[in-house]
Structures are given as C-alpha cells and as structure tokens.
Amino acid sequence: MIRHSPAPVLERVSAIRQHSVDLVAPLEPEDLMLQGMADASPPKWHLAHTTWFFDTFLLQPNRPSWQPMPEGWGLLFNSYYEAAGPRHPRPQRGLLSRPTIAEVMHWRERVDQELQRWLLEGMADEQAQLLELGLQHEQQHQELLLMDLLDGFSRNPLAPGYDPDAPTPPAQGRSGQWLEFESGLISIGVEPGEPQFHFDNETPRQRVWLDACALADRLVTNAEFEAFMADGGYRKPKHWMAEGWNLLQANGWSAPCYWRADGMEFSLRGLQPREADAPVRHVSWFEADAYARWAGARLPTEAEWEQAARQWPDAADWFGSLWQWTASPYTPYRGFQPAAGAVGEYNGKFMSSQMVLRGSCFLTPGGHGRLSYRNFFGPQCRWQAAGIRLAVDR
C-alpha cells in the first residue's frame, strides 16, 4: 500500500487530468461536439470517456461511499469494453448533446477529488497500478483528441485553426545516413513485472533473429514524397498492395491526408505552407509501403526499429516527431497473456488487421513514449500523425 508521501502521485494525477482540460480551452462549445468521421470522437466524449475509466474500474469497485456517474452514462462513454456493458454506437458519439459539457466537467472534478482523497488515505499497490494505467490511457486520449479535432476541422471549408501556436513536427532535412547493424540475436519488449510502466502488449521480452540491415537516420520528407507523386506514385499500381490500390481508387487518394493542391497543408494551426524539409505525415500504411517500394527500400520491422533506436538513441528522431509505420502486423508476442477482467480487453482484443507503429509524435504528451511502446492502427488509417522511416537489406 502507498504509505509514503503521496505528493508526487497527487501532482501527476492533477497535471495529467488538467492537461486534458487545457487542451479544450481554445475550443468553442460547438467544437466540443465535432465528429468528422466514424473513427474519430468529439472532444467532449474524450473528456467523459477518460473519466468513465476511473469511475468504472477504480472508484466503483473500491470506494463504498462513492456516488457513481448518473445512470445511463456508462452506456454513452464506454468505448469497447464488452465486460463493462453495452455501448453507444461509435459513429454516433457526435449526437450526444447531453449530458452537457458543464455536467461532464463537474463529474470530472468529483472523480479527481475522490482519487486525491483516496491517495491521501493510502492506496493498495494493485489499485495504484490501475490508477497508472488510467493516467496512461488518458494521455493516449489527449493525443487522439487533437488528431480527431484536426480531422473535424479539416472538413470545414473555412479551414479553422485550433491554435496558432499548436505544435508541429520539426523540419529535419533529407536523410543522409544509414544506421547499419550486423545479423544477430537481439531482445525486444519488457518482462511482466518490471517496475517501469508498460502496456501488456509490450510483454513478455522476446528473442528475435535479425538479418543484417540498415535504417534511415531521418524520416521521409515532404519533398521526397512529392518526388514519388511526380513519378506517378498514386497512378502506378505496381508499387501498391492490392487492398491499398483498391482504397486509393475508391477514396480518390492522390496525396497525403490534409495536403492541398496549392502547396498548402492543413494543420492544427490552420492552412500552412508545406515545408519541403518537414517529415511527410498523415499517410496510411499502404502509402508508406508504396513509397518504400518506389524508393527501392522497405519499411523496418518493429524489432529492427527497436534495436536501431536502442543502439543509436541520439542518431535519429525516434521520438517526438511522428509515429513510424513498421512492416510488422500487430500480433501478440510469444507468451502474451492479457490482464484479468475487463482491462484485459485494453490491447489484446485488437491483435488482428492492424499494423504496428513505433516511437511517438509531436502530439504525444511528454513522458508518454518509450522504446518498447507498440502503437497500432489499421493500414488504411491516415488521420493519425504517422510518417515513414525506410529500411534496406544489406
């Protein structure tokens, strides 16, 4: 049980929960309901869902005097936890005008106060670990909130900006070096029970054989991707997987998501001139794979990415720029065991039809990324801040 000074934990809970509130400060009430597509969620829903997590999994089972959320709210703000009950359809989250934002914020305050009270009284280790999972979960949704908002704003002909000072990935110049390593047996992932936080899908530690290869020390830039486009990259099926080519034709893809024909790119700052040396972003796995084939290279596996980032931590922009597509399907590590109970649905149930991304991006909250982190999206997804790092066989 946590009996030492709870001050650092209290500060961490307060800071992370407050950051979610700060993210919506530039928004108007109408923006809080914005849902541009079925894969996205409105900002108000993100604020409510992260609060639902703490209410449902921590407070209700462990605090007998806790007054839970009003009846019916669990249906509205459950995301995908079958064991926690039914859910409102994801594509219809933008229709949830009630409860109001004021009611959601009041609920958030009540939950925060009860968590703080509990920490001051002393929280058992098992509950403290679940609290940390909830905080990491909230940080994931802080990134998602901004990506979802970008998608929604991009559909408005007025091209509104979220914040003129919103972060952007730094320009980096073209890749000039290859980080080479020899064939050998390496280890990736973490062991269950290691003290630093990790999600269950990062376990257990694996031994993997790697053949000699090299990874680019920089991500592919806008200028480099424009050369692919100029060479008919979106018109030549020879570079594309069949499913990707079908998606290209069905959806009219001719450039990365948010690119405009006039050389502008839509961002959280609104329409901005496209920077030649900035890393190309908002591309699907299919686009990343097609570019790599055109360039005479390939995408790295997640094991290659982790080994290169471990071996050359300061030689490349592994973190803080863009999530990086890998060639690895999102499947369980050998010996993977999901956690007991509803939280066991957090990662394991999605281990099909997804591809792994590594690193972190310019929207990822500070301290949330790590070497073993396994992000995942469907190969067709383009609204997340994802880019391309090339690999070649030696």
Side-chain angles (χ1 to χ4, degrees):
M1 179 177 290
I2 297 177
R3 289 300 187 187
H4 54 273
S5 172
V9 183
L10 283 168
E11 291 173 4
R12 177 168 167 76
V13 171
S14 177
I16 290 176
R17 294 284 284 167
Q18 182 59 43
H19 185 57
S20 296
V21 177
D22 293 342
L23 288 177
V24 302
L27 302 179
E28 298 296 335
E30 293 84 354
D31 301 327
L32 297 173
M33 293 291 296
L34 185 62
Q35 182 180 20
M37 61 175 176
D39 283 341
S41 298
K44 186 176 80 172
W45 188 91
H46 285 292
L47 294 173
H49 169 68
T50 50
T51 305
W52 168 90
F53 187 98
F54 291 111
D55 194 321
T56 300
F57 296 133
L58 264 170
L59 298 181
Q60 290 185 37
N62 297 289
R63 303 290 281 177
S65 63
W66 171 246
Q67 180 64 41
M69 72 192 94
E71 184 177 358
W73 285 23
L75 170 71
L76 302 182
F77 302 127
N78 182 1
S79 54
Y80 51 72
Y81 297 88
E82 298 286 349
R87 299 156 313 287
H88 184 76
R90 181 174 182 173
Q92 299 176 22
R93 290 172 181 169
L95 303 178
L96 300 176
S97 61
R98 302 299 174 93
T100 65
I101 186 60
E103 291 173 310
V104 168
M105 296 307 293
H106 177 66
W107 175 34
R108 282 183 66 91
E109 292 171 4
R110 284 204 312 115
V111 165
D112 291 349
Q113 291 169 1
E114 187 66 16
L115 290 173
Q116 292 165 4
R117 187 179 299 115
W118 190 3
L119 284 166
L120 288 170
E121 294 172 2
M123 182 180 287
D125 291 344
E126 182 180 354
Q127 280 71 50
Q129 292 173 10
L130 192 54
L131 172 66
E132 180 61 30
L133 176 62
L135 295 174
Q136 297 281 341
H137 168 256
E138 180 133 3
Q139 289 183 308
Q140 288 181 313
H141 277 272
Q142 289 165 354
E143 182 175 321
L144 282 169
L145 187 156
L146 293 175
M147 295 194 302
D148 291 354
L149 186 69
L150 176 63
D151 169 77
F153 276 179
S154 74
R155 299 171 189 274
N156 188 327
L158 298 178
Y162 161 72
D163 185 340
D165 297 318
T168 59
Q172 57 184 7
R174 300 191 178 199
S175 175
Q177 303 292 327
W178 291 94
L179 307 174
E180 302 184 17
F181 48 84
E182 301 296 332
S183 301
L185 191 64
I186 60 117
S187 293
I188 63 171
V190 296
E191 285 295 346
E194 287 192 12
Q196 74 274 20
F197 176 83
H198 53 269
F199 289 117
D200 59 359
N201 66 353
E202 300 167 45
T203 65
R205 194 159 178 81
Q206 305 284 295
R207 291 193 301 172
V208 181
W209 176 266
L210 296 185
D211 289 320
C213 67
L215 273 65
D217 70 338
R218 292 290 184 269
L219 304 182
V220 172
T221 66
N222 286 331
E224 290 167 332
F225 200 85
E226 284 177 347
F228 165 72
M229 294 168 56
D231 194 41
Y234 282 90
R235 300 190 303 273
K236 298 177 180 178
K238 67 179 181 179
H239 304 306
W240 293 77
M241 301 294 276
E243 183 181 354
W245 183 250
N246 290 339
L247 284 167
L248 178 156
Q249 294 180 303
N251 295 288
W253 292 350
S254 60
C257 192
Y258 308 134
W259 279 26
R260 305 295 172 90
D262 59 0
M264 303 292 280
E265 181 174 16
F266 190 74
S267 72
L268 288 170
R269 298 182 180 185
L271 280 174
Q272 299 285 308
R274 202 158 56 239
E275 294 184 68
D277 289 338
V280 63
R281 63 187 190 266
H282 299 297
V283 290
S284 67
W285 181 89
F286 290 116
E287 289 163 290
D289 178 69
Y291 176 88
R293 293 170 187 272
W294 171 83
R298 60 175 175 81
L299 300 178
T301 68
E302 63 171 321
E304 291 168 345
W305 188 98
E306 185 170 325
Q307 176 63 16
R310 178 181 292 108
Q311 191 166 333
W312 295 282
D314 301 320
D317 47 351
W318 307 108
F319 301 97
S321 181
L322 294 174
W323 290 104
Q324 295 144 58
W325 286 111
T326 74
S328 299
Y330 180 52
T331 56
Y333 284 168
R334 297 183 306 278
F336 167 77
Q337 293 294 329
V343 293
E345 300 182 52
Y346 194 84
N347 285 312
K349 66 189 292 181
F350 297 109
M351 290 176 170
S352 67
S353 304
Q354 315 260 11
M355 301 301 289
V356 172
L357 301 94
R358 286 305 197 102
S360 64
C361 79
F362 66 101
L363 299 177
T364 306
H368 186 66
R370 61 189 165 275
L371 191 64
S372 58
Y373 202 119
R374 303 179 77 202
N375 200 353
F376 54 92
F377 280 90
Q380 77 285 356
C381 294
R382 310 206 308 159
W383 91 104
Q384 75 282 10
I388 311 169
R389 185 182 302 279
L390 297 180
V392 291
D393 297 316
R394 285 182 57 202

